[in-house]
Amino acid sequence: MKIQKYKLITTAVVLAVVFASCSGDSGKRETDAKENAGKETKKEKPDGLELTAEQMQTVGIVTGPIAQKNLDSVIKANGQLAVPPQNKADVSILSGGIINHISVIEGQQVRRGQLLATIKNQDLIKIQQDYLAAKNNFTYVQAEYNRQKQLQEAGAGTGKSYQSSEATYNAERSRITAYESQLSQLGISPGRIANGHIVSQFPVLSPIGGTVGQITSNTGAFVQPGTSIMEVVDNSKIHCDLTVFEKDLMHVRVGQKVSFQLTNQKTS
């Protein structure tokens, strides 16, 4: 009886261990299955965004075939607007004086030779007097020269007298030419002075046609010789000077389109 009871207890213990082992294996398999199912579910989730046809139509997305196109590259550069030296002039005076009147304003269009201002100069009166005196004296000198020339050709005069009259004639003629050139540079006609029209002011004329720039002097101001009182700019030849970096030089070609924007210009 004792031996049978011991065998029965041993059999019960073995069955309990086997049942526990099966239960553990079953739970582990169930946990592994859930983890694998979760991994498979995560792998099946798409990486991109899918849109239906209605959604694409709502937001205005249109698809089409793939085409090959040349993409334009943009080269950025800085620069400034400028005009050639021959299209920009500083208006200065040859003789000092007081500005009597300014006939233009900044931004006004002027033509070449148009009156810009008038300068009053008392020394101008003395130049005109000296010119008239030299011109009147030249009449006597020219007559004496012609007389000595005739005597020389007739063999009745001396060579010394003829040479002296010729030297005086050439000197006086050069003196008159210098006065006429000086008056012409000041904008005064020598012919009007010869007719007795003495003036106390001379005009300042525009050297080129264009737009009046900055005026640096006012009416009544005394201006020294060679001082610029305003500028005239011809914008018909205006251009844009751009500075391109060395790395972009190989991408610059003749005929390329250039779009520029001023510093204070608002972008559209």
Side-chain angles (χ1 to χ4, degrees), residues 89-108:
D90 290 327
V91 181
S92 57
I93 59 177
L94 297 177
S95 180
I98 298 175
I99 299 179
N100 184 42
H101 179 69
I102 298 178
S103 305
V104 295
I105 60 175
E106 294 182 358
Q108 180 178 341

Side-chain angles (χ1 to χ4, degrees), residues 81 260-266:
L81 298 178
F260 68 93
Q261 179 181 346
L262 301 179
T263 304
N264 299 326
Q265 182 180 358
K266 295 182 179 179

Side-chain angles (χ1 to χ4, degrees), residues 27-211:
K28 185 176 181 181
R29 290 193 189 118
E30 185 178 358
T31 302
D32 293 341
K34 290 181 179 180
E35 291 179 356
N36 293 332
K39 291 180 180 181
E40 292 178 358
T41 303
K42 291 181 180 179
K43 291 182 179 179
E44 292 178 357
K45 184 177 180 180
D47 297 334
L49 178 64
E50 294 183 358
L51 298 177
T52 63
E54 296 179 355
Q55 292 175 335
M56 294 179 62
Q57 185 178 2
T58 302
V59 298
I61 299 177
V62 180
T63 60
I66 299 176
Q68 294 183 355
K69 293 184 178 180
N70 294 326
L71 299 178
D72 296 334
S73 60
V74 178
I75 300 175
K76 294 185 178 181
N78 296 325
Q80 61 182 358
L81 298 178
V83 294
Q86 60 270 21
N87 292 87
K88 183 178 182 180
D90 290 327
V91 181
S92 57
I93 59 177
L94 297 177
S95 180
I98 298 175
I99 299 179
N100 184 42
H101 179 69
I102 298 178
S103 305
V104 295
I105 60 175
E106 294 182 358
Q108 180 178 341
Q109 293 288 331
V110 295
R111 64 182 182 279
R112 182 176 183 179
Q114 181 175 339
L115 178 65
L116 301 179
T118 54
I119 307 296
K120 202 178 268 190
N121 188 345
Q122 296 300 324
D123 295 337
L124 186 61
I125 298 177
K126 185 178 184 305
I127 296 175
Q128 296 173 86
Q129 290 176 346
D130 294 341
Y131 170 68
L132 291 176
K135 196 170 183 62
N136 293 331
N137 187 44
F138 181 74
T139 303
Y140 168 77
V141 173
Q142 185 177 17
E144 179 64 18
Y145 169 72
N146 291 333
R147 188 175 70 87
Q148 291 294 334
K149 185 177 181 180
Q150 291 176 359
L151 292 174
Q152 181 69 17
E153 292 176 353
T158 61
K160 183 177 180 180
S161 298
Y162 172 74
Q163 293 175 357
S164 176
S165 63
E166 184 181 17
T168 304
Y169 171 80
N170 292 332
E172 289 297 322
R173 186 174 64 177
S174 299
R175 184 182 176 189
I176 291 176
T177 303
Y179 280 128
E180 291 177 348
S181 177
Q182 188 175 0
L183 291 172
S184 298
Q185 289 179 355
L186 294 175
I188 301 174
S189 174
R192 289 179 57 85
I193 304 302
N195 294 331
H197 294 84
I198 305 297
V199 296
S200 61
Q201 60 185 15
F202 60 91
V204 179
L205 307 179
S206 177
I208 62 173
T211 305

